[in-house]
Amino acid sequence: MMRSATSFAVVAFAQAQDRPVKVAHHLHSAAQVITASRLHIPTLVILRNPEDVALSRVTSHPPITLRQALREYLEFYFHIIPFRKSFVLGSFDSVVSDLGRIIARINEKFGTRFVEFCHTEENSNRCLDLVAQFERAQRRAPENTLARPNAERSRLKDCLRAKYRSPELADIRTQAENVYEVLRSSTRD
């Protein structure tokens, strides 16, 4: 939903484990994070800056507007701020470059023994391929909407950047950026 490498993280995490591990929900759902927090369930929340999330969301799901994407961002991240000490917060960049280190932080925080993902190019590509296969099977997704880097979407994002930074979105953009900064300041990434 939020274009924050969540699908990649779920697949990579599952691929690394030596036993099946249940994942409660891998979309951005504040209710799931809050419930996990209250039940002391190991939880990873991936944090990506609002501009990148909004641009990625709009270019991969064209009916969504930038304002809607920012509203979704706020709906999720704002509501989990009070619970931020009860989950591991990993930056988007860390998830896509060193998920093993984040899994190590989860193990440290929750006393778990999850196997760390070995972040090689081969392992990463295998996970991206599995995510793409799943997305195609679920919605017959066109190639330019798959959750992986894409030249066409990059071009579209560049075209939308000025609109994202426009005065008409200043109110909600500022709110999203403030929430991002509050959470970013509480991560060890």
Side-chain angles (χ1 to χ4, degrees), residues 58 64-72 167-172:
V58 169
I64 303 287
T65 67
L66 286 168
R67 183 170 290 281
Q68 288 170 318
L70 286 167
R71 195 173 305 122
E72 288 174 354
E168 71 185 58
L169 293 176
D171 57 338
I172 195 163

Side-chain angles (χ1 to χ4, degrees), residues 55 154-163:
L55 293 174
S154 292
R155 210 170 41 260
L156 291 171
K157 289 176 193 178
D158 289 342
C159 293
L160 284 171
R161 223 168 278 286
K163 184 170 182 172

Side-chain angles (χ1 to χ4, degrees), residues 31-41 43 82-87 110:
Q32 290 283 10
V33 173
I34 293 166
T35 299
S37 172
R38 290 182 175 146
L39 297 174
H40 307 290
I41 295 171
T43 304
F83 303 91
R84 67 184 176 267
K85 300 269 188 236
S86 64
F87 54 79
F110 294 102

